[in-house]
Amino acid sequence: MRAARYLAWAGFGAAACWAAIPLVYRSRGPATIDFAVDPPPQILSGVYDAERTREGFTWVWSRGSFSLSLEHLDRSGPWRTTWRLAAQRADGVTPELVAAVDGVVAWRHTLSATGFVEEQVDIPARAAGSGRADRAVVTMTIAPTFVPGGGDSRTLGAQIDYVQVEPIGFRPWFNAPTSALLAIGAALGLVAAHWRLGWLGAAIVAAAALGAALITTKGLGPFVDPAPAPVLISSALVLLCAGIVVRGPLSRAAGVVVLLSAAVTWLKLAILTHPDMPIGDAMFHAHRFQDVLAGRFYFTSVTPGDIQFPYAIALYLTAAAIKPLAAALDHMLLLRLVVVVTDSIAAVWLYRLLRDRPGDGLTAAGAVAAYHLLPLTFNVVTTGNLTNMFGQSLAIVVFATAGAMVVNEHRRVRIAAIAFVLLASVAFLSHTSTFAVLFVQLAILGALVALWRRAGTRAIGLRLLVAAGAAAAIATVLYYAHFMDVYQSILARVASETGGAASTAGGRTPIQRLAAIPEQLGAYYGVIALVLAALGVVELHARRLEPLRSLAIAWLGGCAVFLTLGVITPVDMRHYLAALPALAMLIGIAFGTLGRRPGWGPGV
């Protein structure tokens, strides 16, 4: 009976992926290469790097010959490619443009010397058995080419604004390999079966399948051979670690946390490995990672306002330890994998922090769900602030460990304190803002616990303060003490711009920075999340939930300190990101409150 249940759920997960992908693919509009990012060379070759104007217009220059190669194309019907091109010749020469499909010339046109024009090249349907029925190559040749001069020695053909690919008069089938997607869908189904999640598990699996379909079929996704191994291994690692973290009595809440964590990891990595995904600052981190691999550990970075600051290296050291096991991965992808996996596992610690309260399974699961779904979490990763996200993930585990020190017996507190110092040290060594904000948060928490009117808490609060101080000392001696001249420069710059329109803050005055806070809160968290968090604050106060109340005060209090500092001075310590786990915890408490009302809760 159990085997049948597992088999049915695995089949459901695989079937959900199998059905969602072609359904979404057939409803897609044209696939567009607009050069917001450089397209994969295996798709568009013979072009130079993408360029961008200050107004946001993007394009590439071609060489004398350039090709669009489309794999996994459903050629049971015809397709159309549309090219927006310009010759842009100052000498007035009108070059000839020749288009060919699979080596057969389709047409010859004269391209205007100035201004963009749209040229269409149709790919005819191909009968099965006549060569590669799922591949098409459109080749463009332009002559004569020219060399612009003025220090630019490139041989240029045409300026390309965009390329579009769309079917003509039929609904294509998705031809790209889907075995890895079906395997992940089946694995999620098995998790739902193991924890007997019922309709809730089915909803999460179906939502994950739909999300994967939306990602996989977007833009150039269908025309690139997937590289599923890193995504599969990373998702499996999160699945395993989440199961270990939530260990204990089998409960639906724990099952939801494990299932949701694996699903979110899968979808995040699918986005990050998509060919249309912008690089952002991830390339910067790849270069810093190369410095660390070469033995250069002490370096600085520059903020948008041209302020130097020490750039801590815990993420790079972690990735370097993993590098021998992932030698085939490029550095940028490896760093992204480490950050996403760490973040997903750290989010599960919110469950550990909240699960021990009677009847609060929904609270714990809701906090993890809120953390994953709040927009700021993934925005930071896609932008490429990888070291900051890595440090923030560790900060969650540090706070969960601090919570364990408060609620556990003294004998276990000593063990937790050692783990606390080690984890806090690594978090401090992950990013400058994590060091500053987390240390203040821990100092507030230690003081609050020491002031509790309950036996034994004074000693625990003092132990927290000593442990936080020890971790800060370790981080300072190992890294931050090497940059004393940098701190002097920072303090001088901040002092000169405090209270005025700071260039490091986009030229905004303190009044403008204060007025922008409501808009930033709405953009980073969303109005619904803020309303739920407010409900969580009311419930936390009404029920006097300790140590959660002290954790929330310390978490948000530390962020409030740096929010105020960011209004008065141009210093930005990423306090909105640092507040996100506490906000998720409050949202989870709100879920728990609503779940205790008859007819509201899903019974987790």
Side-chain angles (χ1 to χ4, degrees):
M1 192 68 179
R2 176 181 295 183
R5 185 178 81 250
Y6 278 92
L7 185 61
W9 272 98
F12 169 75
C17 291
W18 181 86
I21 291 172
L23 179 67
V24 172
Y25 183 53
R26 288 182 164 208
S27 65
R28 284 288 192 190
T32 302
I33 304 174
D34 60 6
F35 305 108
V37 299
D38 287 314
Q42 67 266 34
I43 285 186
L44 187 63
S45 58
V47 298
Y48 294 98
D49 291 340
E51 302 179 48
R52 180 187 299 269
T53 66
R54 291 183 178 179
E55 294 76 25
F57 173 65
T58 54
W59 78 94
V60 293
W61 276 105
S62 79
R63 304 176 189 271
S65 179
F66 48 103
S67 298
L68 178 70
S69 301
L70 302 173
E71 301 283 349
H72 316 304
L73 197 67
D74 180 2
R75 296 192 63 178
S76 61
W79 292 73
R80 173 164 292 161
T81 65
T82 302
W83 305 67
R84 191 167 188 263
L85 306 161
Q88 302 293 33
R89 304 295 176 88
D91 56 9
V93 172
T94 55
E96 182 183 51
L97 185 66
V98 181
V101 179
D102 296 329
V104 178
V105 174
W107 48 252
R108 299 173 183 268
H109 291 171
T110 299
L111 198 60
S112 172
T114 59
F116 283 92
V117 296
E118 284 193 351
E119 298 283 0
Q120 294 180 339
V121 184
D122 289 348
I123 302 172
R126 177 184 286 171
S130 56
R132 285 226 19 206
D134 65 345
R135 185 171 187 264
V137 180
V138 178
T139 302
M140 297 280 210
T141 305
I142 185 170
T145 57
F146 73 103
V147 177
D152 188 348
S153 60
R154 294 178 300 172
T155 300
L156 305 181
Q159 190 179 17
I160 310 174
D161 180 11
Y162 63 74
V163 184
Q164 288 185 336
V165 182
E166 59 184 326
I168 304 175
F170 84 110
R171 299 178 67 191
W173 189 259
F174 186 82
N175 274 357
T178 58
S179 56
L181 299 178
L182 301 185
I184 296 180
L188 295 181
L190 290 173
V191 174
H194 179 69
W195 266 279
R196 299 179 180 271
L197 296 182
W199 68 266
L200 188 58
I204 295 174
V205 172
L210 179 60
L214 290 169
I215 297 165
T216 304
T217 62
K218 178 178 172 56
L220 300 179
F223 310 122
V224 176
D225 283 321
V231 177
L232 283 169
I233 294 172
S234 299
S235 301
L237 181 61
V238 168
L239 191 64
L240 175 63
C241 292
I244 294 173
V245 173
V246 303
R247 67 188 184 279
L250 202 65
S251 69
R252 297 185 73 198
V256 168
V257 168
V258 174
L259 179 60
L260 188 63
S261 298
V264 168
T265 303
W266 172 29
L267 297 180
K268 284 182 177 180
L269 293 179
I271 294 173
L272 290 173
T273 56
H274 193 281
D276 293 347
M277 178 66 204
I279 293 174
D281 288 341
M283 185 61 72
F284 161 82
H285 292 290
H287 291 156
R288 299 288 77 76
F289 182 42
Q290 290 174 343
D291 288 337
V292 170
L293 291 177
R296 295 186 291 273
F297 301 119
Y298 300 100
F299 44 78
T300 61
S301 184
V302 181
T303 68
D306 198 30
I307 291 182
Q308 278 193 331
F309 65 99
Y311 215 84
I313 59 173
L315 169 62
Y316 309 135
L317 293 176
T318 303
I322 299 172
K323 180 66 177 173
L325 302 176
L329 298 182
D330 66 76
H331 293 167
M332 187 171 65
L333 178 57
L334 175 60
L335 292 171
R336 280 173 159 171
L337 291 176
V338 171
V339 169
V340 171
V341 169
T342 303
D343 189 51
S344 294
I345 296 172
V348 182
W349 286 88
L350 288 173
Y351 172 85
R352 288 289 299 270
L353 189 64
L354 298 168
R355 72 171 182 178
D356 292 331
R357 312 201 73 84
D360 273 358
L362 182 59
T363 296
V368 176
Y371 180 82
H372 283 308
L373 298 177
L374 287 171
L376 181 58
T377 310
F378 193 52
N379 289 349
V380 173
V381 178
T382 54
T383 301
N385 298 326
L386 301 182
T387 50
N388 200 181
M389 194 69 241
F390 183 73
Q392 179 57 42
S393 301
L394 294 178
I396 297 175
V397 184
V398 169
F399 258 90
T401 306
M405 290 173 64
V406 174
V407 300
N408 285 328
E409 298 296 329
H410 291 280
R411 179 178 55 84
R412 298 180 64 186
V413 165
R414 294 189 182 94
I415 299 174
I418 297 173
F420 177 89
V421 171
L422 294 175
L423 287 168
S425 300
V426 178
F428 290 160
L429 288 167
S430 298
H431 197 273
T432 305
S433 65
T434 303
F435 186 9
V437 178
L438 181 58
F439 180 76
V440 171
Q441 291 170 327
L442 293 174
I444 295 173
L445 178 61
L448 287 174
V449 173
L451 293 174
W452 276 5
R453 297 178 180 272
R454 203 175 73 187
T457 58
R458 179 180 176 84
I460 297 175
L462 292 176
R463 189 176 280 114
L464 274 172
L465 291 172
V466 171
I474 291 172
T476 300
V477 171
L478 290 179
Y479 202 79
Y480 293 104
H482 293 261
F483 301 96
M484 300 307 298
D485 56 332
V486 174
Y487 304 136
Q488 294 175 357
S489 174
I490 293 174
L491 290 174
R493 179 75 176 272
V494 169
S496 67
E497 296 187 349
T498 295
S503 61
T504 50
R508 296 176 300 164
T509 65
I511 297 299
Q512 290 172 321
R513 297 198 287 269
L514 179 64
I517 291 176
E519 180 182 354
Q520 291 170 334
L521 289 172
Y524 294 151
Y525 307 130
V527 175
I528 295 176
L530 292 173
V531 171
L532 288 171
L535 177 60
V537 170
V538 173
E539 180 69 8
L540 196 62
H541 177 72
R543 294 176 62 192
R544 298 183 178 276
L545 299 177
E546 293 291 0
L548 296 185
R549 189 165 62 167
S550 293
L551 284 171
I553 291 173
W555 225 323
L556 296 176
C559 294
V561 169
F562 287 96
L563 176 65
T564 304
L565 187 66
V567 170
I568 300 172
T569 75
V571 174
D572 179 6
M573 285 296 182
R574 311 278 172 85
H575 39 272
Y576 290 112
L577 176 62
L580 195 144
L583 200 71
M585 183 177 73
L586 293 172
I587 293 172
I589 292 171
F591 282 154
T593 301
L594 296 174
R596 282 187 290 272
R597 296 184 178 182
W600 280 69
V604 298

